[in-house]
């Protein structure tokens, strides 16, 4: 695990496809067919895979290739066989006025059903600008709004941190909301009420490391350990 405080981002699309997705196409398609037998609601859209990433003088520079979600899932399920790439994604460290860090619990029908981590999702082609730049902060805001109904426009933006955890690269932005957790939970319930396709079944208030449990991936453990030191910075 490695943490880097960031002062800037240089995220762009690179040249060429992801070789792994091409060479393993038949195996990937077979793997996906097995997954959708058990869960036909799974989505196989276009996502971004990070082909290179480094931090220099506080600036994260990364390049991306477009691929399908099935290829990403196979790569993950098979133990990250292509070690040259990373799963890079944006993560909101959304914090309430009463000191709660917001975690979402994934709905049972999703691929990560029952897992808990900050509301977030894969980078997609919608996050790529006309000049090829990848707007990961825009992705953070979009995913947060779609999954919880929370509008990052009312929050104060704080620290920006990269967490390198194996083949995962989480770009975390602190967002200090002007609401206590109870109000944020009310917004979530209004947003998801009656939505049979809501990705989150609940949100939780995380206040200390004692709440870390097996539902949470390692990068989320680190966010819990660190977020109080990031608030106000």
């Amino acid at each position: 695990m490695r943490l880097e405080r960031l002062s800037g981002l240089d995220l762009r699309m690179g040249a060429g496809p992801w070789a792994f997705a091409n060479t393993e196409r038949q195996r990937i398609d077979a793997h996906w067919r097995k997954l959708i037998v058990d869960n036909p609601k799974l989505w196989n859209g276009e996502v971004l895979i990070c082909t290179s990433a480094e931090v220099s003088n506080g600036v994260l520079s990364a390049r991306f290739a477009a691929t399908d979600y099935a290829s990403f899932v196979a790569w993950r399920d098979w133990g990250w066989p292509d070690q040259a790439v990373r799963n890079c994604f944006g993560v909101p460290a959304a914090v309430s006025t009463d000191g709660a860090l917001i975690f979402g619990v994934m709905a049972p029908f999703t691929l990560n059903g029952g897992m808990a981590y900050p509301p977030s999702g894969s980078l997609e082609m919608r996050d790529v600008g006309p000049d090829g730049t990848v707007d990961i902060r825009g992705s953070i805001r979009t995913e947060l709004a779609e999954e919880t109904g929370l509008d990052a426009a009312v929050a104060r933006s704080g620290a920006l941190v990269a967490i390198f955890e194996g083949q995962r690269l989480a770009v975390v932005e602190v967002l200090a909301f002007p609401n206590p957790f109870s109000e944020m939970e009310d917004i979530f319930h209004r947003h998801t009420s009656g939505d049979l396709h809501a990705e989150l079944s609940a949100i939780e208030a995380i206040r200390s490391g004692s709440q870390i449990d097996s539902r949470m991936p390692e990068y989320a453990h680190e966010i819990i350990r660190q977020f109080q030191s990031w608030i106000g910075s």
Side-chain angles (χ1 to χ4, degrees), residues 61-88:
S61 297
R63 298 297 177 263
F64 296 84
T67 189
D68 62 323
Y69 189 59
S71 294
F72 163 77
V73 171
W75 172 69
R76 185 199 67 177
D77 290 352
W78 297 340
W80 326 97
D82 182 357
Q83 295 281 303
V85 300
R86 297 180 185 273
N87 172 24
C88 179

Side-chain angles (χ1 to χ4, degrees), residues 86-100:
R86 297 180 185 273
N87 172 24
C88 179
F89 52 99
V91 181
V95 182
S96 67
T97 54
D98 51 346

Side-chain angles (χ1 to χ4, degrees), residues 19-149:
F20 170 85
N22 290 340
T23 58
E24 298 288 349
R25 187 76 267 157
Q26 290 186 339
R27 289 182 64 215
I28 289 168
D29 289 345
H31 184 68
W32 186 256
R33 285 193 296 269
K34 291 178 182 177
L35 291 175
I36 61 175
V37 166
D38 295 329
N39 191 348
K41 293 182 179 179
L42 292 178
W43 166 88
N44 185 24
E46 196 168 33
V47 297
L48 305 185
I49 193 79
C50 180
T51 56
S52 66
E54 64 176 2
V55 177
S56 178
N57 297 320
V59 176
L60 171 64
S61 297
R63 298 297 177 263
F64 296 84
T67 189
D68 62 323
Y69 189 59
S71 294
F72 163 77
V73 171
W75 172 69
R76 185 199 67 177
D77 290 352
W78 297 340
W80 326 97
D82 182 357
Q83 295 281 303
V85 300
R86 297 180 185 273
N87 172 24
C88 179
F89 52 99
V91 181
V95 182
S96 67
T97 54
D98 51 346
L101 175 67
I102 307 305
F103 266 40
V105 181
M106 297 300 294
F109 70 84
T110 65
L111 194 62
N112 297 320
M115 294 189 67
Y117 43 81
S120 54
S122 300
L123 290 167
E124 303 176 30
M125 286 304 297
R126 68 180 179 181
D127 303 312
V128 181
D131 61 352
T133 58
V134 177
D135 183 10
I136 201 165
R137 295 175 98 160
S139 173
I140 288 171
R141 285 152 176 76
T142 297
E143 295 287 347
L144 184 63
E146 288 181 350
E147 296 185 9
T148 69

Side-chain angles (χ1 to χ4, degrees), residues 99-209:
L101 175 67
I102 307 305
F103 266 40
V105 181
M106 297 300 294
F109 70 84
T110 65
L111 194 62
N112 297 320
M115 294 189 67
Y117 43 81
S120 54
S122 300
L123 290 167
E124 303 176 30
M125 286 304 297
R126 68 180 179 181
D127 303 312
V128 181
D131 61 352
T133 58
V134 177
D135 183 10
I136 201 165
R137 295 175 98 160
S139 173
I140 288 171
R141 285 152 176 76
T142 297
E143 295 287 347
L144 184 63
E146 288 181 350
E147 296 185 9
T148 69
L150 295 171
D151 183 1
V154 305
R156 178 174 53 83
S157 178
L160 192 65
V161 181
I163 300 178
F164 292 81
E165 181 231 323
Q167 298 311 116
R168 292 190 182 105
L169 170 51
V171 178
V172 183
E173 181 180 9
V174 175
L175 295 171
F177 278 80
N179 317 84
F181 175 77
S182 61
E183 290 183 4
M184 297 171 82
E185 191 172 35
D186 286 344
I187 292 169
F188 169 77
H189 286 311
R190 289 196 300 270
H191 179 69
T192 58
S193 177
D195 183 359
L196 299 178
H197 303 290
E199 291 189 50
L200 300 182
S201 59
I203 62 171
E204 297 181 349
I206 305 297
R207 301 180 187 277
S208 75

